[in-house]
Amino acid sequence: MKILSIRVVNFRPYREAEIDLTDRDGSVHIIEGDQGGGKTSLHTAIQWGLYGGAGPKSNYTKHWNERAKQAGEEDMSVRIKFKEGSRNYTLIREIDRFNQNQQRAHEDITLIGDTETYSGEEAQDRIEEILPEELKRFFFLDGERIQDLIEEDAGEKVKREIETVLKHRTIINSQDDLEDLLEDRLIPRRNRIEEEAKKRDDILDEISGLREEIRELREQNEEDREEIQDTKSALEENRKELEELNDETIERINDLESDKTSLQSDKVKELSDLKESWEELRYQILADEINETKSDIIEEIKGYEDSLADIERNEVITGLIEDAKQGKCPICGTEGIDHIEQHDTEEYDKEESEELTEKVVELREMRDRLESVSYPDHYPVDHQTEIDRINEEIGEKTDKREELLDELGGVPDDSEQDTLENNIKELEDKIRDLEGDIEDREEKIQQKEQNIRTLESKREENASNQELQKVNKKIDAAQTAIEKLNTIRNIHVQEKREKIKSEMNQVFEQVAQSEFMSQRYEGLDFRGDPTDEDSYVLQLIESDGETKDMANHEPSAGESQLTALSFIFGLNKYARYSSTIVFDTVAGRLDLTNSQAQGEFFSKLEDPLLLLVTDSELRDLGEAVKKEIGAHYRIKPDGKDSQLERVN
């Protein structure tokens, strides 16, 4: 990727700036500026144009030019023209509208080729093919940051850098693909199959449990059916016994017994009537005396009643006379009567009246008692004759009953019949209950069999142990492949280790020219054996062949920069990509001698080089760089912003 031109609009301090790197004889291009003038921003703009930034929020808060924001200019863009092989490309990454409310902005990318135009992800993928983002640290250098490659724990990082440059991308991608296959598909599938296998086992256990329950239900049904047969046999026996109790002879015996009971009742009634007849018979014998006494009593009552009437008459007359004596008529009420006829009256005796009244009451009671005397309709002899007849009939029925009992062999009592009837009812109820239980169990059996069929279907849906074995084999194969690819990577890196060491020592020899560096150090090396975990930690080799104890004696900033620079440019020889190298803060940590040595090294590079330097850095790089300068731009202040001015 040979960069031909760069145009920046409203990016950080640049409202609008353009760099043209074409039609120049030299291969070293210079962007010169003071500290804080915008060199690093230009470095960032190139990387943003190629690979994008940290997201919409960063675009708004970090990249958008402040004056453009205040002026309402909502466009921001970086346009890079470059050549890859024989093809020309124009890359445009832009934002045409910022969301002021959310303080964010989304970027769009377009890549225009000689014959094709790409946009969005397709454009980014094409950039990745030309120069992968993971390689940008080898082509977009920052003198302040490359020093982290020589830190004590940077061995793994250095190893990754080597692998990246050696284009282990295919191997790494294969490993990543295999690991993704493991993590995203095979291992989840194995987990799913194991879970399904567990479900299968659980389903089998559940099916076994259901089948055991069905077996127990069927055994219980068989036991109940046998019990029903036994119960039906007992029921038939009880019904037969009851039928024997209810045959015609028993009915005749019961009829005779019922007749006897009825005759006994008649006999009791006749005996009661006989008793009453004997009691009434005495009144019949004394009937004349009773009638005579009753006549005397009636006559005596009449005499007493007449006496009472006379007494009451005298009482009334006496009252009238008393009224008349007062000159008043007791009948009409006329007053002033002069003469009253004298009547013969006896004096009213109250005590005598009461005695006579009591005697009348007593006599009336005696009369009523005599009148209530009843005489028998039948004489005792009639009742006795009926009783004799009843006794005779009872005897006949008793004899007949005994005769029938002799034929039957005895008669059961009522309790035996009740017992048989109760037994029959209980046996019938028991049969119904048992049949109901059997029917309920049959329904349960059908439901459980349906559940078994459902579970068996689920079991078929779940993966088998055979599938688990297949997946495990695939997992083992993928893990083996990852291990083998990792082995290949390590072997390849180890094979290149000495060659890379040789190349970086050649660079170190060219750039480390100061008296201090050249006399103190003879070169660089990797720590330890290639198979060690920290085998790629960079080490300075002192002139006596001993390794500098960089852990306890931290190298200076200059030593660090020269070491890292030597590693990067030594490793670049094996990079299967090429690009214009953009280098920021080139010699800020170097003395004059080493800066000039670095300048001579830069002037001999085949690939173009864009250096972002201060005026002192440019001066210190020396005449070798100045002879190779192609395009030269100086950053000029423009208020709070910056602009680029071409230097002739």
Side-chain angles (χ1 to χ4, degrees), residues 53 111 431 500 502 507:
L111 180 64
I431 290 172
I500 294 170
S502 175
V507 176

Side-chain angles (χ1 to χ4, degrees), residues 110-153:
T110 303
L111 180 64
I112 304 171
D114 293 333
T115 58
E116 294 180 292
T117 298
Y118 310 91
S119 60
E121 291 185 4
E122 190 177 14
Q124 194 64 59
D125 291 342
R126 180 63 183 139
I127 292 295
E128 285 289 319
E129 292 175 4
I130 296 171
L131 185 64
E133 184 177 5
E134 61 185 3
L135 286 178
K136 70 179 183 180
R137 66 177 64 89
F138 294 102
F139 298 96
F140 303 98
L141 309 180
D142 185 344
E144 297 289 345
R145 295 182 180 179
I146 61 174
Q147 301 176 53
D148 60 5
L149 290 173
I150 68 164
E151 294 176 355
E152 178 64 22
D153 59 350

Side-chain angles (χ1 to χ4, degrees), residues 141-398:
L141 309 180
D142 185 344
E144 297 289 345
R145 295 182 180 179
I146 61 174
Q147 301 176 53
D148 60 5
L149 290 173
I150 68 164
E151 294 176 355
E152 178 64 22
D153 59 350
E156 190 62 33
K157 183 187 298 183
V158 170
K159 184 178 180 181
R160 285 199 304 270
E161 305 292 355
I162 294 173
E163 287 188 308
T164 302
V165 170
L166 293 178
K167 202 176 181 181
H168 282 178
R169 187 185 184 94
T170 302
I171 298 177
I172 294 171
N173 287 345
S174 298
Q175 284 183 288
D176 292 341
D177 290 342
L178 287 171
E179 288 173 354
D180 290 342
L181 178 65
L182 283 173
E183 295 298 325
D184 298 339
R185 293 182 56 188
L186 294 179
I187 292 177
R189 185 180 176 189
R190 181 187 64 187
N191 294 339
R192 177 182 60 79
I193 292 173
E194 287 177 345
E195 182 66 26
E196 289 177 353
K198 183 178 180 300
K199 288 181 181 179
R200 281 170 60 87
D201 293 339
D202 293 341
I203 289 172
L204 283 174
D205 292 341
E206 191 172 352
I207 290 173
S208 298
L210 289 171
R211 285 176 174 161
E212 179 63 21
E213 291 174 7
I214 290 173
R215 185 188 64 77
E216 292 175 356
L217 289 171
R218 284 177 174 162
E219 286 181 355
Q220 188 63 48
N221 279 354
E222 288 302 316
E223 292 176 3
D224 284 358
R225 288 190 181 99
E226 292 176 1
E227 190 172 356
I228 286 173
Q229 290 301 118
D230 295 340
T231 305
K232 285 182 177 180
S233 299
L235 180 62
E236 290 301 318
E237 291 176 2
N238 279 268
R239 283 175 175 169
K240 185 176 180 181
E241 291 181 20
L242 186 61
E243 288 175 359
E244 291 176 353
L245 290 175
N246 291 331
D247 61 10
E248 184 178 355
T249 303
I250 294 300
E251 290 180 2
R252 289 175 63 191
I253 291 173
N254 290 338
D255 290 343
L256 289 171
E257 189 66 30
S258 178
D259 291 344
K260 280 179 61 180
T261 302
S262 178
L263 289 171
Q264 291 289 354
S265 297
D266 293 343
K267 180 180 177 181
V268 170
K269 182 177 181 302
E270 287 298 327
L271 288 172
S272 176
D273 291 344
L274 177 61
K275 180 180 179 182
E276 291 178 2
S277 178
W278 279 113
E279 290 177 352
E280 292 173 351
L281 182 60
R282 61 184 178 178
Y283 295 117
Q284 183 68 33
I285 295 172
L286 298 174
D288 293 340
E289 288 79 359
I290 290 172
N291 289 331
E292 184 178 351
T293 301
K294 186 169 63 175
S295 297
D296 293 341
I297 290 172
I298 292 172
E299 184 66 26
E300 190 174 356
I301 289 171
K302 184 176 181 303
Y304 283 130
E305 289 176 345
D306 290 342
S307 297
L308 283 171
D310 290 341
I311 291 172
E312 292 173 354
R313 174 175 171 275
N314 289 333
E315 182 181 2
V316 171
I317 291 173
T318 300
L320 293 173
I321 290 174
E322 290 296 324
D323 290 338
K325 285 179 179 182
Q326 295 177 4
K328 184 179 177 179
C329 180
I331 297 173
C332 64
T334 304
E335 297 182 354
I337 298 177
D338 297 329
H339 174 73
I340 299 176
E341 184 178 353
Q342 185 67 35
H343 293 274
D344 293 330
T345 60
E346 295 182 3
E347 186 178 354
Y348 172 69
D349 190 347
K350 183 177 180 182
E351 292 182 359
E352 182 181 6
S353 174
E354 291 176 353
E355 290 177 357
L356 289 173
T357 300
E358 290 177 359
K359 288 182 178 181
V360 169
V361 170
E362 291 176 358
L363 290 171
R364 284 176 178 171
E365 289 178 354
M366 291 176 64
R367 181 196 63 189
D368 292 339
R369 283 198 300 273
L370 290 174
E371 287 179 347
S372 66
V373 172
S374 61
Y375 301 104
D377 295 331
H378 301 284
Y379 290 99
V381 64
D382 298 330
H383 291 293
Q384 187 62 51
T385 301
E386 181 64 20
I387 289 171
D388 292 341
R389 186 194 67 77
I390 290 173
N391 283 334
E392 183 178 357
E393 189 173 353
I394 288 174
E396 291 175 355
K397 291 187 180 293
T398 300

Side-chain angles (χ1 to χ4, degrees), residues 21 61 74 210 279 611 620:
L21 307 181
T61 58
E74 296 200 61
L210 289 171
E279 290 177 352
L611 301 179
D620 292 345

Side-chain angles (χ1 to χ4, degrees), residues 82-132:
F82 63 90
K83 188 178 185 68
E84 175 65 14
S86 61
R87 297 182 180 181
N88 292 302
Y89 292 93
T90 299
L91 171 66
I92 304 170
R93 190 178 296 271
E94 62 182 342
I95 294 170
D96 58 8
R97 183 174 180 275
F98 283 86
N99 188 321
Q100 299 278 13
N101 294 328
Q102 296 183 359
Q103 295 190 354
R104 58 197 298 120
H106 293 278
E107 58 197 42
D108 293 318
I109 179 174
T110 303
L111 180 64
I112 304 171
D114 293 333
T115 58
E116 294 180 292
T117 298
Y118 310 91
S119 60
E121 291 185 4
E122 190 177 14
Q124 194 64 59
D125 291 342
R126 180 63 183 139
I127 292 295
E128 285 289 319
E129 292 175 4
I130 296 171
L131 185 64

Side-chain angles (χ1 to χ4, degrees), residues 617-628:
E617 285 179 313
L618 178 59
R619 181 181 65 248
D620 292 345
L621 287 172
E623 293 298 323
V625 166
K626 294 179 181 179
K627 292 178 181 179
E628 295 298 326

